[in-house]
């Protein structure tokens, strides 16, 4: 991972140290000549703030998020800079504190939490030992809470933020930008704890405070928009999300430009939203552009590159391009493992996505192993009932369905549903995944009324397909239509079967087996109605052929499709 040198640092770290030394001597001489205690205090505060800013700019030159190019290895530059500057600061705690925080922030940006944490902890201990509630201490609390948030330590993060909010209110007032920044962090923590409504209220209040300061605090304003959009996403209010993501992107473009890492994050967020509502054609170029940018600027092993490849891999999976998806997901997993503890959350996501692709390739044993590893990581990080487990448990239920292990499938799916109940509003679309799959399980067990109630529950929470093509809709509709057909309810099956084919064609490529399944189900529904026998037979036959190409021999869905076709031909 290579970075270019900032123009001001191009002559080397040694010159920077000389500048720093001269600056320290100069301000010390000035301080000695001042007899007025207030003037001396002001000067010392200015000295600390100036050095803190100097250090942030200096070490930003070694941060690949801000400076790029082939000349200098980021970690080498940071290590050399830290060693030389620390030698100049022996015994000067007033300067070592901002140094520790500045270095800690850069290491955290590099996903080097093992190096960031000791630096930040030492600086925070030194600051707290003085007994003074300085502005630097507030900044330290904000940084420390962010690091804790990355580690999933939400309670500890909140314990750091809450006192900082009180101090900031005393010094700057509750209508200040620093206070709003800390409120944003509080909102993020509340959201991760599952308190979505409370988090939304805090985030909206912060945005109200920031509104008069948009131009002066553009970056903070953009973060606020992005955070609120993500909160609304978690609540299932997808139609409200895009306006906030677009505002964040517009601000980032204006403030940072199109080539900055923060702007890339906005592109990723929009791509994820488009993917969620089934607009894959808009999502894909967003993800592909971010992957290219990350690989060129940060290299294959950086966590931000791994995140980008994981997103693109998940999208390629949805589009049925399983081999391409696997390539990107393997790259994301490799980088996540190389980053140690910093990569564990992403590792679980990428493992789960790769397992889905392996499942479609018929490698069920491999998929199960990966799902279990992902689940173990998530339980270790977040506990046994955190919302992040919902998807992994649902996916384990899916692969159990593939193996016709109905009891195990039901166990995983009911646990997924129970966690969703504790983490999301009852109308959240996430319930569609375990509900629809539980409908399939009860159908297979011959419990038809129970199966129908689960399918209806899934359809209740899914959005109107006229405005939001939810990726889970084809799966729910195909299971529901199959249930109705088995009961001979052709008239009831026709409308959901027609909708299922329309949605599948909008989401997937024409040759995708999921389009084929939808075609066959509609053909069977038409066959049950009078006057459409020839057309129905051809549609059902074409659909089965697509399923034979896309599914491995013996797959239960292919088996069921062949049984249905045999009944049609009798």
């Amino acid at each position: 991972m290579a970075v270019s040198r900032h123009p001001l640092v191009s002559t080397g770290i040694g010159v920077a140290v000389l500048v720093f030394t001269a600056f320290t001597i100069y301000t010390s001489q000035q301080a000695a000549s001042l007899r007025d205690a207030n003037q001396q205090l002001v000067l010392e505060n200015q000295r600390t703030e100036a050095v803190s800013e100097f250090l942030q700019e200096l070490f930003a030159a070694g941060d690949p998020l801000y400076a790029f190019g082939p000349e200098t290895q980021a970690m080498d530059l940071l290590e050399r800079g830290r060693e030389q500057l620390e030698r100049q600061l022996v015994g000067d705690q007033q300067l070592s504190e901002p140094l520790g925080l500045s270095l800690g922030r850069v290491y955290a940006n590099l996903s080097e939490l093992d190096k960031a944490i000791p630096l930040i902890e030492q600086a925070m201990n030194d600051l707290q030992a003085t007994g003074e509630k300085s502005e630097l201490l507030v900044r330290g609390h904000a940084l420390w809470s962010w690091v804790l948030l990355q580690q999933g330590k939400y309670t500890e993060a909140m314990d750091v933020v809450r006192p900082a909010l009180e101090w900031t209110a005393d010094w700057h007032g509750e209508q200040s930008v620093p206070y709003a920044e800390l409120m944003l962090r509080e909102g993020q923590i509340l959201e991760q704890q599952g308190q979505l409504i409370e988090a939304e209220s805090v985030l909206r209040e912060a945005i109200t405070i920031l509104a008069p300061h948009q131009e002066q605090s553009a970056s903070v304003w953009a973060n606020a928009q992005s955070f609120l959009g993500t909160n609304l996403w978690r609540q299932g209010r997808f139609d409200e999300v895009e306006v906030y993501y677009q505002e964040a992107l517009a601000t980032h473009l204006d403030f940072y430009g199109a080539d900055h890492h923060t702007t890339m994050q906005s592109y990723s967020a929009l791509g994820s939203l488009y993917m969620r509502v089934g607009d894959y054609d808009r999502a894909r170029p967003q993800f592909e552009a971010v992957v290219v940018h990350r690989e060129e600027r940060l290299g294959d092993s950086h966590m931000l590159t791994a995140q980008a490849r994981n997103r693109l891999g998940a999208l390629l999976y949805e589009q049925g391009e399983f081999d391409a998806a696997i390539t990107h997901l393997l790259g994301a997993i490799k980088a996540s493992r190389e980053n140690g503890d910093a990569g564990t959350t992403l590792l679980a996501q990428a493992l789960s996505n790769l397992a889905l692709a392996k499942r479609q390739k018929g490698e069920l044993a491999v998929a199960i192993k990966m799902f279990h590893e992902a689940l173990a990581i998530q339980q270790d990080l977040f506990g046994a009932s955190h919302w992040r487990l919902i998807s992994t448990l649902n996916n384990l239920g899916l692969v159990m369905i593939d193996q016709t292990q109905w009891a195990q499938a039901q166990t995983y799916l009911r646990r997924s549903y129970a966690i969703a109940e504790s983490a999301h509003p009852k109308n959240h679309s996430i319930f569609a995944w375990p509900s629809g799959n539980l409908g399939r399980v009860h159908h297979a067990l011959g419990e038809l009324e129970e199966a129908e109630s689960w399918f209806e529950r899934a359809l209740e929470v899914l959005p109107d397909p006229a405005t939001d093509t939810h990726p889970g809709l084809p799966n729910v509709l195909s299971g529901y239509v199959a249930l109705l057909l088995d009961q001979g309810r052709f008239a009831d099956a026709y409308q959901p079967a027609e909708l299922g084919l329309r949605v599948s064609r909008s989401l997937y490529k024409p040759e995708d087996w999921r389009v084929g399944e939808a075609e066959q189900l509609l053909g069977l529904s038409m066959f049950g109605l009078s006057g459409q026998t020839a057309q129905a037979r051809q549609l059902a036959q074409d659909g089965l052929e697509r399923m034979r190409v896309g599914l491995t021999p013996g797959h239960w869905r292919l088996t069921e499709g062949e049984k249905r076709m045999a009944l049609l031909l009798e």
Side-chain angles (χ1 to χ4, degrees):
M1 178 174 59
V3 299
S4 63
R5 296 175 183 173
H6 189 284
L8 295 179
V9 203
S10 60
T11 53
I13 296 296
V15 172
V17 174
L18 292 175
V19 172
F20 171 81
T21 305
F23 176 77
T24 305
I25 295 171
Y26 172 73
T27 52
S28 297
Q29 289 173 340
Q30 275 198 314
S33 68
L34 292 173
R35 297 182 179 181
D36 187 285
N38 289 331
Q39 285 182 293
Q40 195 162 350
L41 179 60
V42 168
L43 180 62
E44 288 300 313
N45 286 339
Q46 290 174 341
R47 176 175 178 246
T48 301
E49 290 175 7
V51 173
S52 180
E53 292 174 5
F54 170 81
L55 289 171
Q56 289 177 25
E57 287 193 17
L58 171 67
F59 289 109
D63 186 344
L65 301 183
Y66 297 93
F68 312 106
E71 295 184 43
T72 306
Q73 294 297 316
M75 296 310 303
D76 291 342
L77 186 148
L78 283 169
E79 292 298 326
R80 290 200 307 270
R82 181 177 65 170
E83 291 171 2
Q84 292 187 37
L85 287 172
E86 284 182 341
R87 282 198 296 271
Q88 300 294 325
L89 295 174
V90 175
D92 195 339
Q93 190 178 73
Q94 191 175 18
L95 294 179
S96 65
E97 293 158 0
L99 168 63
L101 294 180
S102 298
L103 277 169
R105 183 184 299 279
V106 176
Y107 277 119
N109 280 342
L110 288 164
S111 298
E112 295 280 348
L113 292 184
D114 58 329
K115 295 182 179 179
I117 289 170
L119 286 164
I120 298 170
E121 279 185 331
Q122 183 60 53
M124 291 298 295
N125 289 336
D126 292 343
L127 285 165
Q128 289 170 339
T130 66
E132 298 177 2
K133 295 182 176 64
S134 65
E135 187 166 340
L136 187 60
L137 182 59
V138 174
R139 294 175 184 171
H141 275 71
L143 176 58
W144 186 231
S145 64
W146 179 72
V147 171
L148 292 170
L149 192 61
Q150 305 312 302
Q151 296 177 293
K153 298 178 180 179
Y154 307 132
T155 301
E156 295 94 326
M158 189 65 83
D159 289 341
V160 170
V161 165
R162 287 276 164 79
L165 274 168
E166 293 179 10
W167 305 335
T168 306
D170 290 341
W171 298 332
H172 297 286
E174 295 185 357
Q175 298 301 310
S176 65
V177 172
Y179 189 80
E181 286 188 78
L182 286 169
M183 289 187 71
L184 294 177
R185 186 62 41 76
E186 181 185 25
Q188 285 184 288
I189 297 168
L190 288 169
E191 180 183 310
Q192 292 300 318
Q193 290 177 319
Q195 301 178 54
L196 301 180
I197 305 302
E198 296 87 344
E200 180 188 355
S201 177
V202 171
L203 293 172
R204 288 192 183 278
E205 185 179 349
I207 286 175
T208 300
I209 296 170
L210 290 168
H213 310 285
Q214 293 180 43
E215 293 184 5
Q216 301 91 337
S217 304
S219 179
V220 181
W221 174 255
N223 288 340
Q225 301 298 313
S226 181
F227 295 163
L228 180 56
T230 301
N231 176 270
L232 296 172
W233 177 313
R234 288 280 317 280
Q235 294 186 52
R237 294 155 59 182
F238 299 103
D239 57 330
E240 301 176 51
V241 175
E242 184 171 6
V243 64
Y244 293 102
Y245 280 179
Q246 288 284 10
E247 173 67 15
L249 175 60
T251 305
H252 284 145
L253 284 168
D254 184 57
F255 188 72
Y256 292 115
D259 205 36
H260 194 272
H261 83 280
T262 305
T263 308
M264 291 297 113
Q265 290 174 339
S266 283
Y267 283 129
S268 293
L270 272 172
S272 296
L273 176 63
Y274 296 146
M275 178 178 167
R276 161 56 191 76
V277 299
D279 196 345
Y280 298 152
D281 289 340
R282 292 177 74 189
R284 185 161 180 166
Q286 305 272 355
F287 288 159
E288 288 177 334
V290 174
V291 167
V292 170
H293 182 277
R294 298 303 197 204
E295 289 178 339
E296 289 179 350
R297 300 303 180 88
L298 304 176
D300 292 338
S301 298
H302 197 276
M303 283 298 299
L304 294 177
T305 306
Q307 290 171 7
R309 299 193 75 181
N310 178 57
R311 292 189 190 98
L312 180 56
L315 176 64
L316 292 170
Y317 162 79
E318 291 294 345
Q319 293 187 299
E321 299 182 30
F322 303 126
D323 290 335
I326 288 170
T327 297
H328 282 288
L329 293 169
L330 284 171
I333 289 169
K334 181 176 182 291
S336 298
R337 293 193 192 281
E338 289 174 354
N339 279 277
D341 290 345
T344 49
T345 300
L346 178 61
L347 176 60
Q349 295 171 3
L351 281 168
S352 191
N353 287 332
L354 181 59
L356 286 171
K358 292 291 187 180
R359 168 180 171 259
Q360 291 295 346
K361 302 273 288 183
E363 301 176 36
L364 298 186
V366 175
I368 291 172
K369 181 179 179 181
M370 289 179 174
F371 280 137
H372 277 298
E373 184 180 356
L375 183 63
I377 291 170
Q378 291 171 327
Q379 288 182 145
D380 183 56
L381 284 175
F382 307 113
S385 51
H386 192 272
W387 61 267
R388 291 178 184 271
L389 277 65
I390 297 171
S391 177
T392 308
L393 289 165
N394 174 74
N395 292 337
L396 271 167
L398 266 179
V399 79
M400 291 300 117
I401 290 175
D402 291 340
Q403 296 188 313
T404 65
Q405 297 181 21
W406 308 115
Q408 283 184 277
Q410 191 169 176
T411 297
Y412 287 123
L413 294 169
R414 286 190 178 276
R415 185 178 165 197
S416 175
Y417 189 91
I419 294 174
E421 279 189 309
S422 68
H424 294 287
K426 291 185 177 180
N427 63 343
H428 197 290
S429 60
I430 199 165
F431 287 99
W433 298 105
S435 297
N437 291 323
L438 279 166
R440 290 186 181 276
V441 171
H442 287 287
H443 182 190
L445 294 173
E447 300 165 355
L448 303 188
E449 289 186 8
E450 182 79 2
E452 187 165 357
S453 70
W454 280 112
F455 284 126
E456 289 175 347
R457 168 66 175 134
L459 291 170
E460 283 174 3
V461 299
L462 286 170
D464 182 355
T467 57
D468 182 349
T469 310
H470 191 285
L473 186 56
N475 181 60
V476 174
L477 287 172
S478 65
Y480 183 49
V481 171
L483 174 67
L484 296 174
L485 291 176
D486 282 356
Q487 298 177 75
R489 295 162 59 183
F490 300 107
D492 292 336
Y494 180 79
Q495 186 175 358
E498 186 180 42
L499 176 60
L501 179 55
R502 176 159 51 87
V503 172
S504 295
R505 283 175 171 169
S506 73
L507 286 174
Y508 311 125
K509 295 180 179 179
E511 64 273 18
D512 195 292
W513 69 265
R514 290 166 289 192
V515 175
E517 183 180 48
E519 287 176 336
Q520 191 195 45
L521 291 171
L522 179 57
L524 290 169
S525 302
M526 293 164 59
F527 182 75
L529 303 174
S530 60
Q532 301 185 63
T533 305
Q535 183 185 0
R537 180 176 303 205
Q538 187 62 53
L539 185 61
Q541 185 64 51
D542 289 345
L544 180 59
E545 288 304 317
R546 295 186 205 281
M547 294 175 70
R548 285 172 175 159
V549 172
L551 294 171
T552 55
H555 193 287
W556 69 271
R557 292 179 98 142
L558 179 57
T559 301
E560 290 298 314
E562 290 172 336
K563 287 180 181 177
R564 288 191 293 262
M565 199 68 210
L567 289 173
L568 174 64
L569 295 174
E570 284 182 355

